[in-house]
Amino acid sequence: MNGPVVRTKHISLFNVPLHEQYRPDFIFMDDNAPAHRGRIIREWLLEAGVLQIEWPALSPDLNPIENLWDQLSLHVEGHNTAPQDLSDLRAALQEEWNAMPQQTINRLVYSMRRRCQAVIYAQGHMTSH
């Protein structure tokens, strides 16, 4: 799968339904990942009038979902056959998401106090999280 296809699907699968459901209070928060900052995404957000939270470069990422995405990715990569298209990828991610133990999610949520304390200790710089 190439970048433009993934970015276009990212808009249609996530942003459009969320924006439609929550406007006018919808604010797009991302992690500065290239897929979230590509031209097509920026143009869509501008045209749709979606507010964005601006993150400073190299800001510490405290969102525990990032750790969960990593685990999902590792589990999907562990499948015997790699997803061949977006439909396969969606099915594999859904399968792994449904198999994710609630304890794993709880552990990540409960880690927030420690994560915030680490950022304070590092005076806002990167941490090991």
Side-chain angles (χ1 to χ4, degrees), residues 103-121:
Q103 181 181 4
T104 299
I105 298 166
N106 291 346
R107 189 179 70 248
L108 289 170
V109 170
Y110 296 142
S111 73
M112 287 307 298
R113 178 182 299 270
R114 181 174 34 85
R115 291 167 183 264
C116 290
Q117 289 170 338
V119 170
I120 292 167
Y121 181 77

Side-chain angles (χ1 to χ4, degrees), residues 76 79 85-97:
V76 169
H79 285 200
D85 56 27
L86 193 57
S87 178
D88 288 350
L89 178 59
R90 179 184 281 190
L93 287 169
Q94 187 70 55
E95 175 186 334
E96 294 302 336
W97 179 264

Side-chain angles (χ1 to χ4, degrees), residues 14-69:
F14 300 105
N15 295 340
V16 173
L18 289 173
H19 181 250
E20 295 294 319
Q21 182 178 356
Y22 293 108
R23 75 177 135 179
D25 298 326
F26 183 84
I27 299 174
F28 183 67
M29 182 178 88
D30 67 79
D31 58 3
N32 285 332
H36 302 154
R37 292 294 172 158
R39 180 186 51 78
I40 193 168
I41 299 287
R42 289 190 322 265
E43 287 175 359
W44 182 86
L45 292 169
L46 183 64
E47 288 173 14
V50 175
L51 297 175
Q52 290 182 265
I53 293 177
E54 294 297 327
W55 293 106
L58 303 176
S59 61
D61 188 356
L62 295 176
N63 191 343
I65 195 73
E66 297 299 331
N67 299 91
L68 201 55
W69 293 144

